[in-house]
Amino acid sequence: MRYLRAVGLALAGMALLAGGLAAGAHWMLDRYATSKVDRVSHSVPGTEVASSIAGHLSLPLIPKGPRSVDCRGALRAVKGARVHCTAHYLRGTDRGMTVRVVRVGRGRITYVHDAPHP
């Protein structure tokens, strides 16, 4: 009887771990963000894009994300528009990435960033 209980607990633990890993992988792969477009400049400020990316690159409860993210400028509200951003990590490494607009409509844009690269 103890053996069955131990096996049951082990299987439950493995299922919980697998579910957590799957949720974390999905969360990390979700690189899309939506922001409101400024009506005057017809763009989203680079600071807002950077803040959104920093949130995507950080894991909940694990501070391994970048210490900051900078974008070279605003992201225009035009499908296909791009801006280059840099993630600055604690160990002094910088990783560049491109942010691209994938959808424009109703005063909002949806954009996606590629994986940070050296």
Side-chain angles (χ1 to χ4, degrees):
M1 188 62 127
R2 271 197 225 175
Y3 176 73
L4 290 177
R5 187 175 298 171
V7 169
L9 286 173
L11 288 174
M14 289 183 351
L16 184 62
L17 178 63
L21 290 174
H26 173 57
W27 185 82
M28 284 297 287
L29 292 175
D30 185 19
R31 296 187 298 221
Y32 288 86
T34 301
S35 295
K36 188 174 180 179
V37 176
D38 178 66
R39 290 183 178 189
V40 175
S41 66
H42 300 290
S43 62
V44 173
T47 53
E48 183 174 336
V49 174
S51 176
S52 175
I53 291 171
H56 285 165
L57 296 176
S58 300
L59 287 171
L61 305 175
I62 302 173
K64 294 246 181 195
R67 63 180 165 79
S68 66
V69 176
D70 298 318
C71 295
R72 286 192 183 155
L75 187 56
R76 294 181 303 126
V78 176
K79 187 174 180 178
R82 297 171 189 269
V83 66
H84 182 79
C85 298
T86 304
H88 306 281
Y89 289 89
L90 291 175
R91 294 186 178 183
T93 57
D94 292 344
R95 303 283 184 195
M97 68 194 83
T98 301
V99 178
R100 177 178 46 90
V101 175
V102 294
R103 194 173 321 135
V104 178
R106 297 184 179 163
R108 301 182 78 74
I109 64 170
T110 300
Y111 48 95
V112 62
H113 65 85
D114 59 7
H117 48 81

